[in-house]
Amino acid sequence: MNEDLPVVYISILLGLLAIVAIVLLRQIIKTRKTENRFSKLQDKLKNQKGTAQEYYELAVIYLDKKLFVQGIQLLQRAIKLEGELEPENRALIYNALGFAYFSQEQYDIAIRNYKEAIKLYPEYTIGLNNLGNVYEKKLLVSQALDCYKQTLQFDPKNPIALKRVKSLEKRLVIN
């Protein structure tokens, strides 16, 4: 039994190292794809006019990199081309703008953009949850609760809305 113990330990260690290597390799591949797409979109949009979708894609990459000002500029360009987009896709752009402003703690502008997203696509539960979140940050509990309840009308099993409604209702009862 004691002779097998080092083999078991080494096997476990090699298994763990293999798992870490696979996870790391997947992350490297994902990052490379993102950087390649980032580079191609940047080059294309520098030299010629792009589509709203291309501006949106590049803006999302900027937002992921926490470069909010550049992301906002690209999203605003996408909105100017919004005539070529369906309302649901325009709602995505306004939601991303709301996120960018929310991340910069410009809550009133974020609210305006989230509301525009919801106006374009009333069943947009992500936009409703985001609007509820910004209302919570501004300590507007009843408005936040209304947003989360509206989310539940469209998606009764939405885990974020369920959790936030429960929490906010407790806060309203205490106050």
Side-chain angles (χ1 to χ4, degrees):
M1 180 68 178
N2 286 340
E3 297 168 4
D4 294 338
L5 206 52
V7 172
V8 171
Y9 285 142
I10 289 175
S11 298
I12 291 171
L13 181 62
L14 286 175
L16 290 173
L17 286 174
I19 291 170
V20 169
I22 290 169
V23 169
L24 191 60
L25 185 62
R26 289 179 67 192
Q27 188 63 38
I28 289 170
I29 291 169
K30 180 183 172 189
T31 302
R32 294 271 322 235
K33 280 184 181 178
T34 302
E35 289 300 319
N36 285 339
R37 185 70 180 145
F38 179 70
S39 178
K40 286 178 184 176
L41 283 171
Q42 268 189 323
D43 291 343
K44 181 180 180 189
L45 296 177
K46 275 183 188 175
N47 299 324
Q48 55 187 308
K49 184 178 178 182
T51 65
Q53 181 178 350
E54 289 169 332
Y55 285 115
Y56 174 76
E57 280 184 56
L58 186 57
V60 168
I61 295 171
Y62 273 115
L63 296 178
D64 285 342
K65 293 175 177 270
K66 302 201 183 323
L67 299 170
F68 300 112
V69 173
Q70 294 90 332
I72 288 169
Q73 291 170 350
L74 290 166
L75 290 167
Q76 288 170 341
R77 284 186 186 168
I79 287 172
K80 289 178 184 173
L81 301 172
E82 71 181 18
E84 63 187 59
L85 293 173
E86 297 293 321
E88 292 86 2
N89 292 332
R90 287 192 313 230
L92 290 174
I93 294 171
Y94 280 105
N95 186 63
L97 264 173
F99 171 77
Y101 285 114
F102 176 81
S103 298
Q104 295 180 342
E105 298 181 1
Q106 296 180 20
Y107 301 133
D108 293 328
I109 301 172
I111 289 170
R112 193 172 339 125
N113 283 288
Y114 288 140
K115 282 184 176 181
E116 186 64 30
I118 295 164
K119 185 171 94 178
L120 290 166
Y121 184 40
E123 303 90 30
Y124 189 30
T125 57
I126 295 171
L128 287 165
N129 280 342
N130 288 342
L131 182 58
N133 186 35
V134 75
Y135 279 142
E136 278 190 79
K137 283 286 189 185
K138 289 191 67 150
L139 303 176
L140 300 170
V141 177
S142 62
Q143 287 98 322
L145 185 60
D146 290 342
C147 287
Y148 293 125
K149 284 183 177 179
Q150 194 174 351
T151 298
L152 292 174
Q153 289 176 354
F154 299 114
D155 182 8
K157 296 182 180 179
N158 186 293
I160 294 169
L162 286 170
K163 180 181 173 185
R164 299 310 309 146
V165 164
K166 192 175 186 180
S167 173
L168 292 173
E169 283 178 342
K170 287 180 185 175
R171 284 169 75 184
L172 284 177
V173 170
I174 292 171
N175 293 333

